[in-house]
Amino acid sequence: MNEFYVNNREVIKNLGLNTGTSSSTTFTAMCTTTEVSLTTDFEQQDWYVWCDAIQRSIITGAAISIDTTVKIDMNNASIVKILGDIHTLIKDGTVAQFNNQLVQFELLTGVQEGALTYTKYKVPCTLNFSDLGGAAEDSGEFALTIVVTGKGEVVTQ
């Protein structure tokens, strides 16, 4: 039996924003400078039964987000789109451009014949950015949190 280990960069890959329209999507992958992480925040309902003091719980919902740091590459349509959205926020004071976005990414599924396999998803989301310019003096980057706002779909191509 062969053992197969992966690094953090191999769990989620090809994170891309829709740089087309909602009717004609075109996804452009971004250059990330950190691992891309998928975070879940579960909503839980707790209750007690009157005859004992044992707490019972059930998961009633989940919030999913994708967190990463993105390298500012002015040759990348996804990055240029986000920067344009930031300019619109500053100039016009509008935030609608960060809502109802589509992102696409591949999530590790398994190993088949010695090769990693992935499932590609397309999900509706909102985009939250911070730390534009980065923490290091020589790095042009920003933190990006993508909050999944609805049910995704498997992309088969």
Side-chain angles (χ1 to χ4, degrees):
M1 180 174 149
N2 293 333
E3 294 184 24
F4 208 91
Y5 300 96
V6 297
N7 65 43
N8 289 340
R9 289 214 173 256
E10 295 171 319
V11 177
I12 298 173
K13 66 178 194 171
N14 294 327
L15 176 62
L17 294 179
N18 179 18
T19 53
T21 64
S22 57
S23 60
S24 178
T25 57
T26 302
F27 291 94
T28 304
M30 295 178 285
C31 178
T32 57
T33 58
T34 62
E35 290 80 11
V36 178
S37 64
L38 187 87
T39 305
T40 55
D41 184 17
F42 289 103
E43 182 178 293
Q44 181 172 303
Q45 183 68 40
D46 300 326
W47 75 93
Y48 292 90
V49 176
W50 68 272
C51 62
D52 60 29
I54 299 174
Q55 177 180 335
R56 271 73 168 190
S57 300
I58 186 169
I59 303 278
T60 58
I64 299 173
S65 63
I66 300 168
D67 301 297
T68 191
T69 301
V70 177
K71 181 74 174 162
I72 297 176
D73 174 2
M74 294 308 293
N75 300 305
N76 183 293
S78 289
I79 307 306
V80 171
K81 179 185 180 316
I82 290 176
L83 289 174
D85 291 345
I86 293 168
H87 281 282
T88 302
L89 171 63
I90 294 168
K91 182 174 69 88
D92 301 332
T94 60
V95 294
Q97 65 274 21
F98 298 105
N99 294 319
N100 302 317
Q101 298 290 314
L102 279 176
V103 297
Q104 184 171 280
F105 61 92
E106 296 176 41
L107 180 60
L108 181 64
T109 304
V111 177
Q112 187 174 13
E113 298 177 8
L116 297 176
T117 58
Y118 292 85
T119 301
K120 186 182 287 187
Y121 290 98
K122 177 172 57 173
V123 296
C125 64
T126 60
L127 303 177
N128 300 306
F129 72 93
S130 64
D131 303 325
L132 184 61
E137 185 175 315
D138 62 347
S139 71
E141 57 191 23
F142 61 93
L144 180 64
T145 299
I146 299 167
V147 179
V148 177
T149 58
K151 182 179 172 185
E153 66 181 71
V154 174
V155 176
T156 56
Q157 299 182 35

